[in-house]
């Protein structure tokens, strides 16, 4: 049985297994940094099958005027079962009163279709533009 939990911080080993499974090696190269980032998150939503971490979504921001949705991951073997959507719903419901919910992600048709289905739109459609600066690539 799959269960969504909020504000449970997974162990280092559980984080490594999940992030490695989805190929997010930029995170797993510095596990100390990843652990600190997850622990410092505004909110962490997780999906569990027993004691196995199956999915994770974390939010950063102030929780009042802006929330950044960061790191939406589901183990490859569990994808396409609606788990990512359940994590998004949990996050969007908790922060429904927050005006700005922002997510920065890769630009693929599949990714765009998923986030659109969750009620998000590209910044350009809202008359906005995003700027970023990436370090240590």
């Amino acid at each position: 049985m799959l269960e969504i939990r909020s504000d449970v911080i997974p162990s280092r080993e559980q984080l490594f297994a999940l992030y490695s499974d989805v190929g997010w090696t930029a995170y797993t190269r510095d596990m100390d940094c990843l652990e600190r980032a997850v622990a410092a998150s505004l909110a962490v939503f997780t999906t569990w099958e027993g004691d196995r971490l199956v999915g994770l979504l974390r939010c950063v921001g102030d929780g009042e005027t802006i929330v950044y949705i960061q790191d939406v991951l589901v183990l490859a073997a569990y994808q396409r079962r609606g788990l990512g959507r359940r994590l998004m719903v949990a996050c969007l419901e908790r922060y429904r009163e927050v005006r700005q919910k922002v997510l920065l992600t890769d630009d693929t048709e599949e990714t765009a279709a998923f986030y659109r289905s969750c009620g998000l739109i590209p910044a350009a459609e809202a008359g906005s533009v995003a700027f970023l600066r990436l370090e240590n690539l």
Side-chain angles (χ1 to χ4, degrees), residues 87-105:
L87 290 167
M88 287 291 295
V89 166
C91 172
L92 295 171
E93 177 61 24
R94 179 180 290 182
Y95 297 107
R96 68 183 166 276
E97 300 300 321
V98 175
R99 189 174 76 79
Q100 292 183 80
K101 295 164 194 83
V102 180
L103 177 125
L104 185 66
T105 190

Side-chain angles (χ1 to χ4, degrees), residues 11-21 28-29 31 34:
S11 71
R12 180 185 189 101
E13 294 76 22
Q14 291 166 324
L15 290 171
F16 182 82
L18 177 59
Y19 280 75
S20 294
D21 182 78
T28 58
R29 280 193 292 259
M31 286 302 299
L34 178 58

